[in-house]
Amino acid sequence: MTVASVAVVYHSRYGHTKVIAEQIAAGVRTAGDVAVEVVSVDELPEPGKDRSLGGKWNVLNQADGMIMGSATYMGDISSEFKQFMERSSGLWYGQAWKDKLAAGFTNSGALSGDKQSSLHSIVTFAGQHSMIWVSQGVMPSSYTNDGKNLNRLGAWTGFMSQSDNGGPDVTPGQADKDTAQAFGKRFGVAAIRWVKGRN
Ligand SMILES: Cc1cc2nc3c(=O)[nH]c(=O)nc-3n(C[C@H](O)[C@H](O)[C@H](O)COP(=O)(O)O)c2cc1C
C-alpha cells in the first residue's frame, strides 16, 4: 500500500522538459511507498462555465504533493504553463491545494537562460495556493568536486537543467538526469514524512 501520492505536472513543447519530468518521477519512485503520476498541462481540460475542473485535474487534487515544471521560454515559464496556473484559480479561491507539498523545475537551452525567473514564477504560484515548498537539495558540483557533475547549473530554489541544440533523446545529458532523480527522491521522501506526520 502506498503512503503518499505525488503528481509531476509539466509543460514541454519539444520534449526536453518531458524527459526531465519522467526522470524526476523515476526518482520519486525510489523513495519507497509513493505513487507517482506524470501529467502534461496539455492533458488538463479547460474549466467548465461554472469554473469546475474535471479529468486529470483530479490527479492533482488528490495528490499529497505536486512537482511542477515548465520549459523556459523568453526568460520565464511557457504560456501553456501560465494558462494552467490561471485555470487553477477556482481551486485557489477555495484553497483546495493548501498544505500540499510543492517543488519546481525548469529546462532551458542556455546555461543560465534567465530560467531562475521560471522557478520564481512556480514558487510564487505555490505560495498563492498555500503549498509547502521543497527545495532542490543537491549541492552544486562546483562545490562537491566529486566527479558526478550533479546540479552542475548550481540551483537551490528548485531543479534546473539545460539541453543543447539536439533532440530530447540525446540532451539534456546524464548528469542532469541523475540530478533530476535525486531531486525526485528528495521530494518523495519528504512526501512520505509529511503524510505520516499528518495521519
Ligand atoms: C519560444 C522559445 C523561447 C525560448 N526562450 C529561451 C530562454 O529565454 N532561455 C533559454 O535559455 N532558452 C530558451 N529557449 C530554448 C528552450 O528553453 C529549450 O529549447 C528547451 O529545451 C525547450 O524545452 P522543451 O523541449 O521542453 O519544450 C526558448 C525556446 C523557445 C521555443
Side-chain angles (χ1 to χ4, degrees), residues 6-70:
V6 170
V8 180
V9 57
Y10 73 97
H11 177 252
S12 174
R13 210 174 288 168
Y14 304 103
H16 303 87
T17 312
K18 180 181 182 192
V19 165
I20 292 299
E22 287 163 351
Q23 292 292 321
I24 290 171
V28 174
R29 285 187 195 102
T30 64
D33 299 330
V34 199
V36 193
E37 191 155 344
V38 181
V39 178
S40 163
V41 297
D42 298 332
E43 299 177 274
L44 297 169
E46 63 180 292
K49 286 206 173 84
D50 59 352
R51 297 172 84 191
S52 61
L53 296 165
K56 291 236 170 167
W57 285 96
N58 291 321
V59 174
L60 310 188
N61 291 337
Q62 284 158 17
D64 299 302
M66 286 166 49
I67 309 176
M68 301 178 276
S70 172

Side-chain angles (χ1 to χ4, degrees), residues 34 38 41 64 85 90 93 97 129 152 181 197:
V34 199
V38 181
V41 297
D64 299 302
M85 289 174 162
Y93 197 74
W97 292 350
H129 278 285
R152 67 190 173 95
Q181 292 214 13

Side-chain angles (χ1 to χ4, degrees), residues 68-81:
M68 301 178 276
S70 172
T72 289
Y73 298 149
M74 305 312 291
D76 210 328
I77 54 168
S78 68
S79 55
E80 289 90 339
F81 200 83

Side-chain angles (χ1 to χ4, degrees), residues 15-16 43 103 111 161 169 171 189:
H16 303 87
E43 299 177 274
L111 285 171
S161 58
D169 50 327
T171 184
V189 168

Side-chain angles (χ1 to χ4, degrees), residues 102-119:
F105 64 101
T106 186
N107 180 80
S108 81
L111 285 171
S112 164
D114 292 337
K115 59 184 170 286
Q116 182 76 7
S117 303
S118 300
L119 292 182

